[in-house]
């Protein structure tokens, strides 16, 4: 007689646990297991819960809701059921109902961490960012036992980065495996552009806690900022495997795809999001940006207007309209923008965007005094959060000049990677670089990409640069490197930029303007690359930069004196490259390109070793994605009327003239 007695309850519990364990990596099998259990025990609530979750994972949302809604009525005090119901509602695009369900989940169990995270996502998506941040803080508090982390998080939200960093480091010293502290310190690192450190911290956190989704989200951002786009997409797909319709994950994936140049896929994501969340201003804004990039202008304008309708803080959307350069604001637009201007308080980012947009509106109406007033206001607000020290730029320019003398290049002749693929366009922003890129990208042998960060990232890596104001070993470190290292760096540049290339064209363009500071490095690692200096008259070029709001970097443009001194440093450094590398850089004066287009294009192509093609003269007919502020302008024939726009503002430009000083002798105003 057998002595083994099976425990039916134990078998049922094992079956339920097994089905639940399948949800994330095999929801189809989880569904099958749940259905098998329900055949045996037809009204088993835990099995129905698993079945509903498995259907959500498969994006079969109506079926999931049909299972889960009755469960919330039957088990109204079950936080896990309300949490799952909220996730399904969110995935189906029912944002308000999802928020209600998730609020019910966290009220029933304030320690339901993932419900707080989902609630934070939905609140942020609805436009209530303050409530969203508070929900995420609750999520973090559920994960950690250390109250100091709450204080550190609060410091970070208040912009007190050093205090937040100090606290987070102290916590990690005491508790070296606290993944929440790791993630917070990594977020601080991302903010400070310490991307390698941030990635290392997040990789360790995910090794310890693979299901810490907020850490993985931060990891995607760190990879994205570091131009590691394939890796970023791999990580975001891991999150989307768990929550296929999570709008924040989808938005982030769209952002990465845009940077990668996959605009069609990004547009499909944004269109899916807007179908489910038509009243989300940020999604409308992102959609508009991508539509603008691919040249679908009217649709972009519609998306920007929709974003304005949905948000109390519409500055970025209004600036996006202004930044099209071809959009004209109506009287109603201007009245609404002026009504949003604050005399004190208000979000600085929103107010600066708004000021630049109003400046553009007044300039279009030839009210130059008010236009300058608002450009000046926008720059002043921007400067508060983006300080600039002109002395540092002078110092770095002098270091470049001293390091890269004739002897340096003579002793390293023939070093580096011989590939001729890259065409670098350097100079100041708003100096015609997008026009040159569009002309060259119209040639059958050349592919346009974007303002690539790879050379700047390499300079930071060489210098061991971790903070914007920290001492660095670059460029002097190059003097101590062996020959093979230069070839390795050149090949590395070609490898890291390959993700930006979508055709078989033998040449590609890197139009990061700030690379003029790194021509010594570029020549050292890629001696056969082409380098083009896009230059504009100092008054026109500097004022164009002053009235342009840049998303990141270019902090020297927020004051007339600063931009004038920066232009002087730029000219001095370019003169040095001309002296030690004669003929290496081809200069294109914007004014000459505008007034003598065909001749200048032929010279440009000749320098690049390219045969003349008629398409380069008809560059405005070339259909390609363009990510810079001049996108719509270069989709039209060259316009000569913009050459002297700065003269309309001359009464207020004396500080710029004084800062430019002797440069104006070289480029006379009259």
């Amino acid at each position: 007689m057998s002595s083994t007695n099976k425990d039916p309850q134990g078998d049922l519990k094992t079956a339920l646990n097994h089905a639940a364990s399948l949800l994330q990596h095999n929801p189809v099998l989880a569904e099958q297991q749940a259905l098998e259990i329900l055949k045996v025990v037809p009204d088993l609530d835990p099995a129905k819960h698993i079945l509903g979750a498995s259907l959500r994972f498969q994006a079969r949302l109506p079926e999931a809701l049909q299972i889960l809604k009755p469960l919330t009525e039957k088990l109204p005090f079950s936080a896990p059921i309300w949490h799952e119901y909220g996730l399904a509602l969110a995935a189906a695009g029912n944002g308000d109902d999802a928020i209600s369900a998730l609020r019910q989940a966290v009220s029933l169990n304030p320690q339901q961490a993932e419900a707080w995270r989902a609630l934070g996502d939905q609140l942020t998506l609805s436009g209530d960012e303050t409530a969203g941040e508070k929900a995420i803080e609750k999520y973090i508090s559920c994960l950690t036992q250390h109250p100091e982390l709450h204080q550190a998080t609060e410091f970070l939200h208040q912009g007190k980065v050093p205090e937040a960093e100090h606290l987070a480091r102290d916590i990690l010293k005491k508790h070296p495996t606290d993944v929440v502290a790791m993630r917070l310190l990594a977020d601080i690192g991302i903010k400070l552009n310490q991307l390698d450190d941030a990635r290392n911290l997040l990789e360790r956190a995910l090794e310890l806690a693979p299901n810490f989704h907020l850490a993985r989200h931060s990891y995607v951002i760190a990879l994205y900022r570091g131009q590691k786009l394939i890796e970023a997409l791999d990580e975001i797909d891991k999150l989307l495997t768990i929550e296929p319709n999570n709008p924040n994950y989808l938005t982030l994936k769209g952002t990465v795809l845009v940077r990668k140049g996959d605009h069609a896929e990004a547009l499909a994501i944004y269109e899916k999001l807007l179908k489910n969340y038509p009243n989300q201003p940020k999604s409308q804004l992102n959609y508009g940006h991508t539509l603008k990039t691919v040249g679908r202008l009217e649709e972009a304008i519609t998306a920007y207007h929709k974003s304005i309708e949905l948000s109390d803080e519409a500055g970025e959307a209004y600036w996006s309209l202004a930044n099209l350069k071809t959009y004209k604001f109506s009287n109603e637009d201007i009245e609404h923008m002026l009504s949003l201007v604050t005399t004190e308080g208000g979000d600085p980012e929103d107010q600066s965007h708004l000021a630049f947009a109003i400046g553009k509106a007044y300039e279009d109406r030839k009210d130059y005094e008010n236009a300058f007033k608002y450009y000046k206001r926008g720059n002043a607000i921007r400067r508060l959060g983006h300080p600039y020290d002109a002395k540092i730029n002078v110092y770095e320019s002098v270091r470049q000049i001293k390091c890269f003398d004739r002897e340096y290049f003579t002793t390293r002749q023939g070093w580096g990677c011989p590939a001729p693929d890259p065409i670098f366009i350097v100079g100041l922003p708003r100096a015609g670089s997008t026009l040159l890129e569009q002309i060259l990208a119209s040639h059958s042998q050349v592919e346009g990409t974007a303002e690539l960060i790879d050379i700047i990232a390499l300079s930071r890596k060489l210098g061991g640069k971790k903070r914007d104001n920290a001492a660095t070993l670059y460029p002097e470190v190059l003097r101590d490197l062996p020959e093979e290292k230069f070839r390795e760096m050149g090949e590395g540049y070609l490898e890291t930029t390959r993700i930006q290339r979508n055709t078989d064209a033998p040449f590609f363009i890197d139009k990061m303007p700030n690379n003029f500071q790194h021509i010594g490095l570029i020549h050292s690692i890629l001696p056969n690359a082409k380098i083009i200096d896009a230059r504009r008259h100092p008054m026109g070029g500097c004022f164009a930069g002053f009235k342009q709001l840049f998303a990141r970097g270019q902090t020297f443009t927020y004051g007339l004196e600063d931009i004038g001194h920066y232009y002087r440093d730029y000219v001095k450094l370019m003169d040095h490259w001309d002296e030690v590398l004669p003929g290496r850089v081809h200069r294109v004066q914007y004014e000459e390109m505008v007034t003598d287009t065909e001749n200048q294009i032929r010279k440009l192509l000749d320098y690049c070793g390219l045969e003349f093609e008629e398409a380069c003269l008809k560059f405005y007919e070339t259909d390609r994605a363009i990510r810079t502020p001049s996108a719509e302008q270069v989709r039209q024939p060259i316009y000569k009327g913009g050459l002297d726009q700065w003269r309309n503002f001359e009464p207020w430009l004396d500080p710029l003239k004084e800062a430019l000083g002797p440069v104006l002798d070289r480029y006379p105003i009259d």
Side-chain angles (χ1 to χ4, degrees), residues 31 110 115-116 168 305 408 436 460-461 488 602 614 617 668:
E31 177 194 2
W116 280 115
H305 275 293
Y408 170 91
L436 296 183
R460 286 178 175 271
K461 184 177 180 180
E488 178 186 314
R602 287 182 179 276
E614 194 72 24
L617 282 178

Side-chain angles (χ1 to χ4, degrees), residues 520-534:
L521 171 61
I522 290 170
H523 180 75
S524 297
I525 66 172
L526 292 159
N528 294 317
K530 298 294 186 286
I531 305 172
I532 300 161
D533 174 22

